[in-house]
Amino acid sequence: MKRQIKEEIATIGRRLYEHDLNGSYGGNFSVRDEEFIYITPSGVPKDELNFSDILVIDFSGNVIEGEGKPSSETLFHIKIYKVRPDVNAIIHAHPPFGTGFAIAHQGIPNNVHEESSLILGEVPVIPYEITSSKELAENIGKAIIDHNALLLANHGALTVGDTLEKAFRRMEELENVCKMLTVASLLGGAKPLPHDKFESLLELKKKRGL
């Protein structure tokens, strides 16, 4: 299997931790490579991952390479890859502000901040289901069809991308906009972009293929 992919996943674990986007034990990340999924193991601190810790599984969840157990959230990783053929990487993390929004069941609108509108779009909150359950995987599978970022009620956040770097940047932007909205709430609440300007922004997004 490909060592480079494993090293990229291990590096993302450290970057998320260093950027205060995830705790050491929380979250899980994966990359799709043809008929295989490279995924983080269960029970290993994400800031201490080594490439050799990363497991390779098939789309039935069987371990093809590596020791230990794959992430307990494997079900929703498989589900996302099945419903989104354009997605090749998934990051699930517990960023403090983003997770705060998830705990408050507060989604992120797509019309309050220009950059987040382009990078993220709307970020809905999906209903709470117990971690690693089939119900959680089903809920995520339905919601991710039309979104690139989700908040998991009382749980955390999830972003996807065609590359692991794209998924990371979306997680970073999600946390940033949650910080901005928190500040805005102290100043009377977020104000939406003017409707006509927002429509032009959406056209720009389409042209750029974002």
Side-chain angles (χ1 to χ4, degrees):
M1 297 298 171
K2 299 177 181 177
R3 174 168 172 166
Q4 180 182 356
I5 296 175
K6 295 182 178 183
E7 289 179 338
E8 288 175 355
I9 294 173
T11 298
I12 283 293
R14 291 190 291 274
R15 288 174 68 190
L16 287 164
Y17 184 80
E18 291 166 359
H19 286 77
D20 295 323
L21 295 173
N22 198 40
S24 59
Y25 278 101
N28 36 78
F29 341 119
S30 71
V31 169
R32 182 224 307 259
D33 184 54
E34 299 179 350
E35 71 270 31
F36 299 113
I37 298 171
Y38 292 66
I39 193 165
T40 49
S42 179
V44 177
K46 304 306 182 294
D47 59 317
E48 296 180 357
L49 284 170
N50 189 280
F51 81 91
S52 59
D53 295 316
I54 308 305
L55 289 89
V56 182
I57 63 173
D58 62 20
F59 273 75
S60 295
N62 300 308
V63 176
I64 305 301
E65 182 177 277
E67 298 181 2
K69 294 182 179 181
S71 168
S72 61
E73 309 277 26
T74 294
L75 281 179
F76 73 61
H77 286 260
I78 292 173
K79 185 68 175 181
I80 291 171
Y81 289 129
K82 286 183 176 180
V83 301
R84 287 285 302 271
D86 60 313
V87 165
N88 294 313
I90 299 165
I91 292 177
H92 165 50
H94 301 157
F97 281 82
T99 302
F101 273 64
I103 291 171
H105 296 195
Q106 180 65 55
I108 302 168
N110 66 342
N111 64 346
V112 293
H113 182 250
E114 183 177 85
E115 188 167 331
S116 65
S117 295
L118 294 173
I119 295 173
L120 292 177
E122 179 191 12
V123 184
V125 181
I126 68 165
Y128 176 77
E129 292 290 350
I130 295 174
T131 182
S132 77
S133 66
K134 291 181 180 179
E135 291 80 6
L136 177 62
E138 287 300 318
N139 283 349
I140 289 175
K142 291 174 184 176
I144 204 67
I145 291 174
D146 299 315
H147 301 90
N148 289 317
L150 302 174
L151 293 173
L152 316 184
N154 303 91
H155 187 161
L158 184 149
T159 56
V160 299
D162 56 349
T163 66
L164 197 56
E165 183 65 23
K166 181 76 70 68
F168 174 83
R169 294 300 178 185
R170 283 177 171 150
M171 185 64 71
E172 185 177 52
E173 183 61 28
L174 186 153
E175 182 72 345
N176 283 340
V177 73
C178 286
K179 291 178 181 178
M180 296 174 199
L181 289 171
T182 299
V183 173
S185 71
L186 301 174
L187 301 172
K191 306 299 188 289
L193 294 164
H195 181 72
D196 59 333
K197 303 296 184 183
F198 179 61
E199 291 298 319
S200 298
L201 188 65
L202 292 181
E203 285 298 318
L204 179 63
K205 181 178 181 179
K206 186 182 298 182
K207 288 179 181 178
R208 291 184 178 178
L210 296 172

